[in-house]
Amino acid sequence: MLKYFLRRLLFSIPTLLAISMVVFGILALAPGDPMGEFAANPAITEAVRENIRKSLGLDQPLPVRYVKWLLAFLQGDMGYSFTSRSPVFTLIWQRLPTTLWIVGSAYIFGVLIAFPLGVISAVKRYSWLDKIISTFSMLGFSLPTFVTGLLLIIIFSVQLNWLPSFYNSTLKISDFNSLIEQVKQSIMPVTVLSLYQGAMLMRFVRSSVTEEIHQEYVKTALAKGLTNFSVLTKHIVRNALIPVVTLIALDIPSIFTGALVTEQVFRVPGIGALLIDSISRSDTPVVMAITFIYGILIVIFNLIADLTYSWLDPRVRY
């Protein structure tokens, strides 16, 4: 087990280096100039713009900028925003609690919905219950999040006036009433994301469990006298989890980067909104930091998924 872990860990290091090179290269060569906002200001001369460019390190060759950025990132220094001149780490840290609250809660609810419904749908295939669950999952997966978000705003904010349409980032929880307000303004974005995540994962769980139900080992276990529930929980679900773990491992890093579309619809000041704003402003340090952290999280959770495989099926280690 330890040798398997070390092999996977050593393989992750060059992967992260390759990701860092690709992220830095693409963003450095992408169209858009961080000095563009100063170009329209007649009070800022060309000499001043050039001095600003030098202070930001934009006058140096691309390989030199990459090495400096990577070494600084490894030391915890993500640089400074081109537009606000604030530390990138501070900007991300300010947005992280909101993102974890909204996107994290939505993912937890989505998983809690997907697993039982996916298993039930697979066990009760072609029944009326399976048809209802399948229809629900197809609708949740097919409808874009901005469509369901706007529908919820029209129904619960405009028509019924039950929930606020936009997220109030200045709200601070100091008493029970403020806690209720926080919950109310989180219901719609969490619901939108939960429906999408749950529907996608539900189809995957159903397909994986359905494939395992007809395996020979299931028939053997039933012939030995094991109950249907015991075979389902101890054998079928465990083997079915192997491909599902991959999907979850790839999805969890998205909790950090936030929900790009949903945060825009409900004006949630999360990391996703920060990323969109930084892209529009050509704020390269912020975009690079968020993108590379996302890549790091994907590699880490893929490593965790590999270790989970070895626990679910020891044959994976060899």
Side-chain angles (χ1 to χ4, degrees):
M1 182 69 172
L2 181 60
K3 291 182 180 179
Y4 177 76
F5 170 73
L6 292 176
R7 285 200 307 267
R8 300 301 301 169
L9 184 62
L10 290 176
F11 180 76
S12 300
I13 296 175
T15 303
L16 287 174
L17 286 175
I19 291 174
S20 67
M21 292 179 185
V22 171
V23 169
F24 188 90
I26 290 177
L27 293 177
L29 299 176
D33 187 2
M35 299 292 101
E37 294 188 3
F38 299 105
N41 190 345
I44 300 179
T45 63
E46 183 62 31
V48 173
R49 284 200 295 270
E50 188 62 28
N51 288 333
I52 296 175
R53 186 179 295 275
K54 289 182 179 180
S55 67
L56 296 175
L58 297 176
D59 62 322
Q60 298 176 343
L62 189 62
V64 175
R65 289 163 53 192
Y66 166 73
V67 172
K68 287 185 175 181
W69 170 77
L70 182 61
L71 293 176
F73 192 94
L74 293 176
Q75 298 173 7
D77 181 10
M78 301 180 187
Y80 289 83
S81 168
F82 285 163
T83 56
S84 66
R85 299 302 297 160
S86 300
V88 175
F89 178 82
T90 302
L91 294 176
I92 295 176
W93 188 255
Q94 290 174 347
R95 305 286 188 109
L96 187 58
T98 303
T99 294
L100 293 179
W101 166 251
I102 297 296
V103 186
S105 300
Y107 196 82
I108 291 174
F109 285 123
V111 171
L112 293 177
I113 293 171
F115 266 94
L117 292 183
V119 173
I120 293 172
S121 180
V123 173
K124 302 291 185 180
R125 277 188 315 154
Y126 308 127
S127 65
W128 63 269
L129 187 59
D130 176 35
K131 293 178 181 178
I132 293 176
I133 295 175
S134 298
T135 302
F136 168 76
S137 63
M138 289 301 296
L139 285 175
F141 181 70
S142 302
L143 289 175
T145 53
F146 70 87
V147 172
T148 53
L150 291 176
L151 286 175
L152 290 182
I153 289 176
I154 292 173
I155 295 173
F156 294 103
S157 295
V158 178
Q159 300 294 333
L160 300 177
N161 197 25
W162 287 356
L163 300 172
S165 58
F166 299 120
Y167 193 92
N168 181 13
S169 60
T170 62
L171 178 64
K172 294 183 179 180
I173 302 176
S174 57
D175 52 21
F176 182 75
N177 291 331
S178 59
L179 176 62
I180 295 299
E181 290 299 319
Q182 175 68 18
V183 172
K184 287 175 63 177
Q185 71 176 0
S186 304
I187 288 177
M188 287 198 293
V190 169
T191 301
V192 168
L193 294 174
S194 297
L195 289 175
Y196 181 78
Q197 292 286 355
M200 179 175 60
L201 187 58
M202 190 188 308
R203 298 295 300 173
F204 215 83
V205 172
R206 182 189 184 278
S207 176
S208 185
V209 173
T210 301
E211 184 177 349
E212 294 295 326
I213 285 177
H214 299 286
Q215 297 295 328
E216 292 298 327
Y217 73 86
V218 177
K219 299 177 182 178
T220 303
L222 292 173
K224 287 182 176 180
L226 294 178
T227 63
N228 290 331
F229 182 78
S230 178
V231 174
L232 178 65
T233 56
K234 295 182 179 180
H235 299 279
I236 296 176
V237 172
R238 178 166 179 169
N239 290 328
L241 280 177
I242 294 177
V244 176
V245 164
T246 304
L247 183 63
I248 294 178
L250 294 176
D251 275 347
I252 289 180
S254 64
I255 295 175
F256 170 83
T257 54
L260 304 182
V261 177
T262 306
E263 289 184 7
Q264 294 294 316
V265 172
F266 294 101
R267 301 294 188 268
V268 179
I271 295 179
L274 175 64
L275 179 60
I276 294 296
D277 185 60
S278 300
I279 292 174
S280 64
R281 294 174 176 269
S282 299
D283 198 347
T284 309
V286 179
V287 179
M288 282 195 301
I290 296 176
T291 308
F292 188 47
I293 291 174
Y294 181 64
I296 292 174
L297 291 175
I298 287 180
V299 172
I300 290 175
F301 280 98
N302 268 315
L303 179 60
I304 294 174
D306 289 338
L307 296 178
T308 307
Y309 295 158
S310 65
W311 173 72
L312 292 171
D313 188 354
R315 295 173 299 175
V316 178
R317 304 177 195 173
Y318 302 101

